Amino acid sequence: MKPILILDFDSTIVTIESLDALAEISLAKHPERDERLARIEELTKLGMEGKLGFRESLAERVRLLDANQGHLEVLAKRLKKCLSPSFAAHKKQLKAVADRLYVVTGGFAEFVAPIAAMLDIPNSRVYANSFLFDEDGKIIGFDDQNPLSQAGGKIPVVESIAYDGPKWVVGDGFTDYQIREAGAASRFFCYAETVYREAVAAKADSVVYGIDEVLAESDLPTRYSFPRSKIKILLLDSIDSDAAESLAAEGYRVEQVKEKLSEDELVKRIKDVSIIGVRTRTKIPARVIQAGKRLMAIGVFSVGTDHVDSAAAAARGVAVFNAPFSNTRSVVELALGEAMVLMRRVFAHSTALHEGRWTKSAAGAHEIRGKKLGIIGYGNIGSQLSVLAESVGLEVIYYDIAEKLSHGKAQRIESLHDLLKQSDIISVHFDGRASNKNLISKKEFEMMKDGVIFLNLSRGSVVDYSALRDAVLSGKVGGAGIDVFPSEPKSNDEPFDSVLRGLPNVILTPHIAGSTEEAQRNIAAYVSERLRKYVAQGETLGSVSLPDLYLPPIQKGMRILHVHRNVPGIVASVSAIFARHGVNIVGQNLKTRDQIGYLVTDIADKVSDELLAEIREVPETIKLRVLNP
Ligand SMILES: NC(=O)c1ccc[n+]([C@@H]2O[C@H](COP(=O)([O-])OP(=O)(O)OC[C@H]3O[C@@H](n4cnc5c(N)ncnc54)[C@H](O)[C@@H]3O)[C@@H](O)[C@H]2O)c1
């Protein structure tokens, strides 16, 4: 017989502790708010630790709440938005088996029942305490005859549920474990989606991070073939919270760590992690990748990926995704803004005024209309700057080592030197590859027009800043906007130094050209989407480590993802295995990149474990993953 599931409420079905939330609502304007909240917290703790009778603790808490019907309505509304992410993601599946679901809680039916109803659990299967009200709707106590108002009260309640098959308990607290301990249930799942209580986990038959894990174990229908809460995602470096929220909403187990982890800590923590997300602070060297036995993908929530060993990731079949375009607009806006501000000498005037000097004069101040902007590096940023610059009346010329399509009226210049000689404003937007080191140096500055405005918002290594300093002091460069430096402080606590400090009409910014809240949100959305598509569909579009393949969603059957060393004959070997097993292939995609090949095979039916084992044994296999619709 399939089991019935006995669900706890607080920190299980919902992410919060409802009595605490009620206290925050009812005491919001109370003169003794802080004292009462502290006392309620203390009473909860004393009750849980058994130092105060459960019923006394509850009675005292209810008295301190000073709550009424109106407060309960506000709480019910708030709770509706606090459904645990995996419950929310599996609402349809839970409703389909609602006749197997019971709620047994020390909470109160007045706010538990409306939430249970969202999962189609009727009041008759909600076992909870109930409040007593006076005629004005004020809470004056609770039904103390209800067994749930006393310690160990869940045990007789579960015993009283008439069911001959197995009863499984799902909850985060010790009182849930006690049901199993007393023999009233046959399994206890410590529910850790919201809180992980070590003492409770130690007693549990299993620790689960999402309700889909329990559904899968009980052979009840789930939304995904593999419980998503088993896929742990570790997000570091203060990645925008949108990423964590959207991934958790899809049922993944997301952990966000704010503090910086050392490489050794990372090696330890990555062992059970399927996906790791970093911005630029945390480096991911080969040693960390090799320690990630379950690692599928690395999300780099920034543009550059130099700090992640993509070659080591490729060698282990780990997909690395970044966000190459998401902050382009932010960089372009700053470049254009600085060009205007510097042409008008606004920064120099502002500095003078801050120093108490009045400098009213038109000398050296120019409009940007009709001036020539020279863009070096016509990639994502350079080309977008070209479009925006033309819209404010600049004439654009550009130089790029690669063949590029000109936007608008922008004109390609065949030699860097010609661009340097012609431009009134020069903006550098090429990448920091080794051969670009100090590409703009003394000789290049000498070629520029007198009074040129110079911008570098790309990489600190590509410009020789001692040469720029000399050029500013000699008047060759009339103003500069510099956002990137060859060596940058690792955190805001470290001091900053540069030969450019203290120069007139030179704007220095701490590598923030791409750092806007909009860009952070764009990056979070873009990289999360790439990770989701990779996990759910095997799509590698935009990956910097694996060959990139666009793949449509799986319709039926199975999708087999095979990352292998790129040697001749590998596709034939894998196809021969399919043929031997008489498998009907619906579609196949292969892409290779350097040493790595990625073969994706869609098949009409499910395949046997023996077939998969044979593919795994092909010597060139790096990683094999199987997806169901
Ligand atoms: N300051 C910031 O906050 C910030 C934010 C985003 C990007 N960036 C940096 O800006 C730079 C440009 O970013 P992108 O997204 O436009 O990169 P991209 O790769 O799209 O474009 C770079 C372009 O430079 C060209 N190029 C390379 N070497 C060149 C050379 N020697 N001469 C001329 N052209 C050359 C390439 O062919 C390419 O077209 C990168 O270095 C990136 O790291 C900085």
Side-chain angles (χ1 to χ4, degrees), residues 80-266:
K80 282 186 182 160
K81 293 186 191 142
C82 293
L83 212 56
S84 293
S86 78
F87 276 80
H90 289 83
K91 228 172 176 179
K92 197 169 139 206
Q93 290 69 26
L94 288 163
K95 282 179 167 188
V97 298
D99 56 338
R100 308 191 152 270
L101 307 181
Y102 292 73
V103 183
V104 177
T105 169
F108 286 80
E110 284 79 2
F111 51 76
V112 175
I115 307 304
M118 289 168 72
L119 303 172
D120 286 353
I121 306 174
N123 289 357
S124 58
R125 275 189 268 117
V126 173
Y127 295 85
N129 282 303
S130 51
F131 287 120
L132 299 175
F133 299 91
D134 69 10
E135 56 212 20
D136 298 326
K138 185 171 165 17
I139 296 173
I140 49 168
F142 55 88
D143 172 10
D144 60 7
Q145 297 307 302
N146 187 329
L148 290 165
S149 68
Q150 50 187 296
K154 287 185 174 182
I155 299 165
V157 168
V158 175
E159 279 169 346
S160 74
I161 296 173
Y163 185 66
D164 292 337
K167 295 175 183 173
W168 289 4
V169 176
V170 183
D172 65 296
F174 206 72
T175 57
D176 303 305
Y177 161 67
Q178 284 176 326
I179 306 171
R180 160 88 164 100
E181 190 189 28
S186 55
R187 275 192 84 168
F188 168 57
F189 293 84
C190 170
Y191 199 76
E193 182 168 15
T194 301
V195 276
Y196 176 84
R197 301 187 204 279
E198 197 146 2
V200 181
K203 300 271 185 194
D205 296 301
S206 320
V207 179
V208 292
Y209 293 86
I211 194 62
D212 48 338
E213 287 182 61
V214 183
L215 292 175
E217 287 222 23
S218 48
D219 224 9
L220 295 171
T222 59
R223 184 166 161 189
Y224 310 109
S225 53
F226 183 78
R228 289 207 166 166
S229 46
K230 283 194 171 179
I231 297 180
K232 181 170 170 185
I233 302 181
L234 178 64
L235 298 180
L236 307 173
D237 299 351
S238 308
I239 290 167
D240 192 277
S241 56
D242 280 6
E245 280 163 25
S246 68
L247 291 164
E250 299 239 340
Y252 297 109
R253 186 175 137 208
V254 181
E255 190 184 341
Q256 257 192 308
V257 174
K258 292 248 155 40
E259 65 275 14
K260 184 170 168 30
L261 298 182
S262 69
E263 191 177 311
D264 285 345
E265 284 166 324
L266 214 49

Side-chain angles (χ1 to χ4, degrees), residues 303-304 306 324-325 327-328 331 376-383 399-404 416 428-433 435-436 439 456-459 462 483-484 511-515:
V303 173
D306 307 348
F325 325 110
N327 62 4
T328 302
V331 179
I376 313 174
Y378 205 65
N380 296 320
I381 295 173
S383 58
Y399 169 74
D400 197 297
I401 46 170
E403 203 56 48
K404 295 281 163 174
L416 172 63
V428 168
H429 296 289
F430 51 87
D431 52 77
R433 68 184 80 173
S435 57
N436 283 343
L439 197 78
N456 181 17
L457 284 67
S458 64
R459 281 289 176 259
V462 301
D483 185 52
V484 284
H511 204 145
I512 44 102
S515 306

Side-chain angles (χ1 to χ4, degrees), residues 48-84:
M48 276 189 176
E49 289 169 354
K51 292 183 181 152
L52 185 69
F54 185 80
R55 188 171 287 169
E56 285 124 280
S57 150
L58 189 60
E60 179 68 357
R61 278 183 287 160
V62 167
R63 190 189 65 75
L64 288 169
L65 279 175
D66 209 6
N68 59 36
Q69 285 281 12
H71 298 134
L72 287 176
E73 280 159 27
V74 178
L75 175 64
K77 272 194 200 137
R78 187 178 292 181
L79 284 171
K80 282 186 182 160
K81 293 186 191 142
C82 293
L83 212 56
S84 293

Side-chain angles (χ1 to χ4, degrees), residues 458-472:
S458 64
R459 281 289 176 259
S461 60
V462 301
V463 177
D464 174 352
Y465 284 147
S466 298
L468 173 60
R469 179 185 169 83
D470 293 344
V472 171

